[in-house]
Amino acid sequence: MAIPKSVFAHHIDLSLLQVGNTAAYGPSDWENDINLAKDVGIDAFALNIAAQTDYNEAQLENAYRAAESLGFKLFLSFDYAAQGPWSSSAVLTLLQRYAASPAQFTVNGASFVSTFEGPDNSDDWRQIRASVPIYFLPDWTSIGPDAFRTTKLDVVDGAFSWDAWPQGATDKTDESDQLWKAALGSKTYMMPVSPWFYANLPDKNWVWRGDDMWHERWQQVLEVQPDFVEIITWNDYGESHYIGPITAASGIPDGAHQYVNKLPHDHWRDLLPYYIAAYKSGSPPAVDTDKVQMWYRLPLATARSNGMTVGNAPWEPAIDADAVVENKVFFTALVKEPSTVNVQIGSNAADTFQAASPGLFHSSIPFNGRTGEVTVRVLRDGQAVIPTITGAPIMPSPPNGLTNYNAWNHHQIVFVLPSKVASAIWNDLHALSAPYLQSSYSFLPAPLQTLLETFPSHLHHFLPHHWTAFLSTDRTTRILLTVVLPLFLLFFSMSSWGRFWPSGGRYSPFAATANQLPPTVTEADYHYLGPDDIDAPSQHPNDSYGFPPPRISRADSNIPDILVLKHRSTTYPLHFPAYAIADGDVTVGDIRRLAARETKTDDHHRIKLLYKGKILRDDARPCRDEGLKQNSEIMCVVSEAASFPSSAHPHQQQQHQQPPPQPSSSSASEDEMIENGIGAGPRVDLDGPMRDDRPTGPRRKGHRGGRKKKSNT
């Protein structure tokens, strides 16, 4: 019997760090994931579960109940690598429990089942399949297609390859897929498709090339025509190849938040209905809606430290990570008719492409040192066919000095009322209002009557043809859309309900609110003057030294966070992603390292930072907790020798300890002198040079406040 082509998504239910990716899931979380997957044509989730996981029972019940209620399919993928091999009895128990579930994905009446690794336990599956009908496609990629053919073929119904990424600075091809298909002969092949790979975790720290791969792999699917396709993955955040949403319940592994937070991948699902339909039918389907998607990394490769990340996995030849990835914006447009695609980075000139025929158009543009927001426009006959999409700004350097190799993926949220519901509402409104509007038409002034009759003919230059045709249908329609609805919206926006109207959150600071209380004035509301403010007052007192103004609301996500570092007579603006300071993502240590970079200081431990007269000592402390905010000014002093912050690692302290100072009951530490502006040592002006007012004479060796170095004897 022919097997219908199907597309699955690998749903990780625990990670390799023994943290459950779905441990915090409730029934509604499963329902949300399932609905999102159904909407784009995914047929089932492969539930990756590990042995000896105490929440397997509860989460499998939640998943299967949700899938049953929503008409979705699931199958089990037993992970033999995360927490050791499964016992055959435990596997058999779960397969028998869900075999009769309406949500169980089956092939010819047998439960579909897969694995992640476990070739050493292949003999267990002879016993398992003798006890329960299964259709078995394991992932035993580690032994390779040749060994699989000679030693495992009689145990399986086919195979799933995990070989989804290229090695080194090359693009992924379908060579491995063709080798697996040849090894399997007439048996079933399940092909992997993945958009990305980057991990920086204690047990893995490497990057494989993604770049064009999400689009290119779907083109290879059309060439290979596998029996099944499995997307790797829905929710493996630690390896950066998630296409599902990031939510409060997402099980992001410890250590991965730094490269996952605020980097959504939802947009990679947007073209899945087209890709999947083309795969199942064998040819590209007709295009009924124009769409576009884009993805790219936010910091330039080679911008700063790569966090010891290497290119390729440990079992492959290691190469420079920056040589693996490409500094490009990647985009795919799906167009109904020939179109023009403009891609622009920052305020630079846009790159223009011609999508010469209906269907998919994929390309990329190099960064070439350009930074700023990325915008993509799709035009036809000079008119925009979809709203302009705007992406997060490309940064010249990462905010914390560590290059993030994860991708940012634009997702444009569009709320669409189902056509049948919209049509019914419109028809009822039209029928109800027609008698009243027709009778009132005669009372309108003659110029307004003429305008209502002729204005559709004046809009054909600005609106699609089907819109102008709709406005030309009858008088009632024209009155409803041009008079009644605008008046209603005006009344709505001016009423008390108008506060719920989407305004982007930019409310006037002078607007009256209910139960308004006098404002609370805090230390943060004052601006401390420096010498520049006295010697050369600004012509624009609120220009914040030319840097972005404070935000009114979270809607101002395009304004980066900036801290102003002042060293001697030079000012350095330090750029961070929007709200990084308020969210506690920027630490004192981040500022210290950036200050060392800007001042060309070889050892960041020589950097002393002062904010409003207070020395910032604790590198682990968030800048937010020190009172810093947008455009705060930090004074920087470079000491002659390193002095370690209180949060420095003990091993670092031991390696860099200095001889103690000569005892003196009246001497103050260098920190105290800088903080108080008194005592021996150089005096530092806020914006001026460092001046030494002490009398000349022999200088004491060593660094004040240093620690005694341990003796090795």
Side-chain angles (χ1 to χ4, degrees):
M1 182 181 297
I3 302 173
K5 295 176 181 176
S6 300
V7 175
F8 314 127
H10 201 81
H11 201 290
I12 301 288
D13 296 314
L14 90 158
S15 73
L16 298 182
L17 295 182
Q18 301 184 3
V19 177
N21 285 29
T22 60
Y25 264 37
S28 62
D29 298 301
W30 283 107
E31 292 169 0
N32 182 59
D33 279 4
I34 288 170
N35 281 323
L36 291 174
K38 284 182 62 179
D39 287 345
V40 295
I42 292 173
D43 297 296
F45 280 148
L47 301 181
N48 184 107
I49 52 174
Q52 306 167 10
T53 305
D54 54 7
Y55 54 82
N56 273 342
E57 301 282 334
Q59 290 304 337
L60 286 178
E61 284 298 308
N62 285 339
Y64 271 91
R65 297 296 82 80
E68 289 169 359
S69 67
L70 296 171
F72 192 65
K73 300 297 182 181
L74 308 170
F75 65 87
L76 301 178
S77 178
F78 293 92
D79 193 324
Y80 282 72
Q83 296 188 22
W86 282 81
S87 68
S88 57
S89 60
V91 171
L92 185 58
T93 297
L94 289 178
L95 289 174
Q96 290 175 332
R97 178 179 302 167
Y98 295 108
S101 169
Q104 177 63 45
F105 188 87
T106 61
V107 175
N108 299 331
S111 296
F112 194 98
V113 60
S114 186
T115 72
F116 178 76
E117 285 304 322
D120 294 340
N121 298 82
S122 59
D123 286 341
D124 291 353
W125 289 94
R126 302 180 192 277
Q127 174 190 348
I128 293 168
R129 70 184 313 147
S131 303
V132 61
I134 60 172
Y135 196 85
F136 184 40
L137 268 72
D139 155 39
W140 292 338
T141 310
S142 59
I143 65 174
D146 290 337
F148 191 98
R149 182 186 69 251
T150 58
T151 63
K152 309 297 181 185
L153 210 55
D154 62 326
V155 187
V156 303
D157 296 287
F160 169 40
S161 168
W162 200 262
D163 191 356
W165 304 276
Q167 183 182 127
T170 59
D171 296 329
K172 176 64 179 171
T173 70
D174 64 0
E175 180 182 1
S176 61
D177 305 295
Q178 299 294 357
L179 291 174
W180 276 101
K181 283 196 72 175
L184 291 169
S186 61
K187 298 206 172 203
T188 301
Y189 177 56
M190 184 156 65
M191 180 174 170
V193 173
S194 185
W196 210 259
F197 189 103
Y198 165 57
N200 190 343
L201 298 171
D203 64 331
K204 65 183 78 171
N205 188 0
W206 73 85
V207 61
W208 276 318
R209 174 173 288 187
D211 296 351
D212 299 280
M213 189 167 61
W214 183 240
H215 172 75
E216 296 297 339
R217 280 298 275 172
W218 283 106
Q219 304 314 299
Q220 292 166 17
V221 166
L222 295 180
E223 295 292 330
V224 175
Q225 284 296 305
D227 302 282
F228 302 106
V229 173
E230 185 164 318
I231 298 169
I232 305 176
T233 60
W234 182 264
N235 65 333
D236 194 336
Y237 306 100
E239 294 182 356
S240 305
H241 43 62
Y242 50 94
I243 67 166
I246 301 174
T247 68
S250 298
I252 301 175
D254 291 340
H257 289 273
Q258 63 179 337
Y259 59 86
V260 172
N261 287 350
K262 301 179 183 178
L263 290 174
H265 290 179
D266 303 76
H267 198 44
W268 271 325
R269 300 194 305 271
D270 286 0
L271 298 185
L272 274 180
Y274 183 89
Y275 287 132
I276 292 173
Y279 156 61
K280 290 184 176 181
S281 67
S283 60
V287 180
D288 57 4
T289 305
D290 295 291
K291 296 181 180 179
V292 67
Q293 62 180 7
M294 64 175 172
W295 62 95
Y296 50 92
R297 290 174 298 98
L298 297 185
L300 301 171
T302 71
R304 289 293 174 261
S305 169
N306 64 8
M308 305 301 290
T309 299
V310 298
N312 290 338
W315 56 88
E316 299 169 332
I319 65 173
D320 185 357
D322 293 332
V324 171
V325 298
E326 296 181 292
N327 281 328
K328 291 182 177 180
V329 174
F330 306 92
F331 67 93
T332 307
L334 181 65
V335 296
K336 296 189 295 183
E337 299 174 20
S339 306
T340 299
V341 182
N342 291 336
V343 184
Q344 183 177 13
I345 301 176
S347 59
N348 301 282
D351 292 56
T352 300
F353 301 84
Q354 298 300 323
S357 59
L360 290 170
F361 177 81
H362 176 80
S363 191
S364 61
I365 66 168
F367 291 174
N368 285 345
R370 294 175 289 185
T371 58
E373 290 181 344
V374 180
T375 57
V376 178
R377 299 174 178 87
V378 180
L379 309 172
R380 191 174 302 131
D381 298 327
Q383 302 298 317
V385 297
I386 60 173
T388 299
I389 64 172
T390 303
I394 296 170
M395 300 176 291
S397 61
N400 60 357
L402 183 69
T403 297
N404 186 347
Y405 293 99
N406 193 6
W408 185 91
N409 180 246
H410 175 87
H411 183 58
Q412 182 178 9
I413 302 175
V414 180
F415 296 97
V416 180
L417 193 64
S419 59
K420 290 183 179 179
V421 177
S423 178
I425 293 174
W426 175 258
N427 290 337
D428 289 345
L429 179 62
H430 189 282
L432 180 65
S433 60
Y436 304 100
L437 294 178
Q438 291 287 358
S439 61
S440 62
Y441 177 79
S442 59
F443 296 100
L444 295 175
L448 185 54
Q449 292 183 15
T450 302
L451 177 63
L452 287 173
E453 296 297 336
T454 61
F455 88 96
S457 64
H458 300 296
L459 296 178
H460 71 279
H461 294 294
F462 309 100
L463 295 176
H465 172 73
H466 60 276
W467 272 95
T468 55
F470 177 66
L471 290 170
S472 302
T473 53
D474 60 75
R475 184 178 296 162
T476 301
T477 298
R478 291 194 292 275
I479 298 175
L480 274 174
L481 292 179
T482 61
V483 179
V484 177
L485 287 182
L487 288 174
F488 170 76
L489 294 176
L490 178 62
F491 169 78
F492 180 84
S493 63
M494 296 178 66
S495 68
S496 60
W497 291 89
R499 67 179 181 272
F500 299 106
W501 189 256
S503 62
R506 299 176 184 268
Y507 302 108
S508 167
F510 307 107
T513 58
N515 303 320
Q516 189 172 25
L517 296 175
T520 301
V521 180
T522 66
E523 178 76 1
D525 295 307
Y526 291 92
H527 177 76
Y528 287 76
L529 299 179
D532 283 350
D533 298 294
I534 299 172
D535 297 338
S538 171
Q539 298 301 314
H540 304 283
N542 295 322
D543 68 356
S544 298
Y545 294 96
F547 298 112
R551 301 181 186 85
I552 296 175
S553 76
R554 284 259 171 181
D556 298 303
S557 59
N558 292 328
I559 300 177
D561 276 9
I562 290 183
L563 293 176
V564 182
L565 183 74
K566 311 198 82 170
H567 174 60
R568 297 194 175 183
S569 60
T570 306
T571 297
Y572 304 95
L574 307 180
H575 293 251
F576 306 92
Y579 305 107
I581 300 172
D583 291 344
D585 296 338
V586 182
T587 65
V588 172
D590 294 334
I591 305 302
R592 197 181 310 279
R593 285 186 288 272
L594 289 173
R597 183 195 74 191
E598 298 294 347
T599 59
K600 296 180 173 54
T601 303
D602 55 356
D603 185 357
H604 70 271
H605 296 104
R606 294 173 55 198
I607 298 294
K608 290 186 179 293
L609 302 172
L610 296 89
Y611 178 58
K612 295 184 178 179
K614 174 187 175 183
I615 291 184
L616 307 182
R617 294 185 174 88
D618 188 352
D619 274 6
R621 187 172 174 84
C623 292
R624 171 193 63 193
D625 296 348
E626 296 284 5
L628 277 77
K629 59 185 185 300
Q630 177 78 319
N631 298 331
S632 290
E633 298 175 10
I634 306 170
M635 177 181 171
C636 169
V637 177
V638 181
S639 299
E640 293 182 5
S643 62
F644 286 83
S646 61
S647 60
H649 192 282
H651 179 64
Q652 292 176 320
Q653 291 180 350
Q654 179 176 332
Q655 285 184 321
H656 298 277
Q657 284 163 355
Q658 303 293 330
Q662 298 295 327
S664 171
S665 59
S666 61
S667 66
S669 72
E670 182 181 284
D671 286 356
E672 291 169 340
M673 289 188 288
I674 294 175
E675 204 162 10
N676 299 322
I678 59 173
R683 189 176 79 213
V684 183
D685 293 336
L686 183 62
D687 287 306
M690 185 178 291
R691 302 199 301 270
D692 195 344
D693 295 335
R694 297 171 298 170
T696 58
R699 299 185 64 182
R700 180 179 297 161
K701 294 183 179 180
H703 171 61
R704 281 186 171 272
R707 299 175 183 267
K708 184 176 181 180
K709 188 172 182 179
K710 290 185 178 180
S711 172
N712 294 326
T713 58

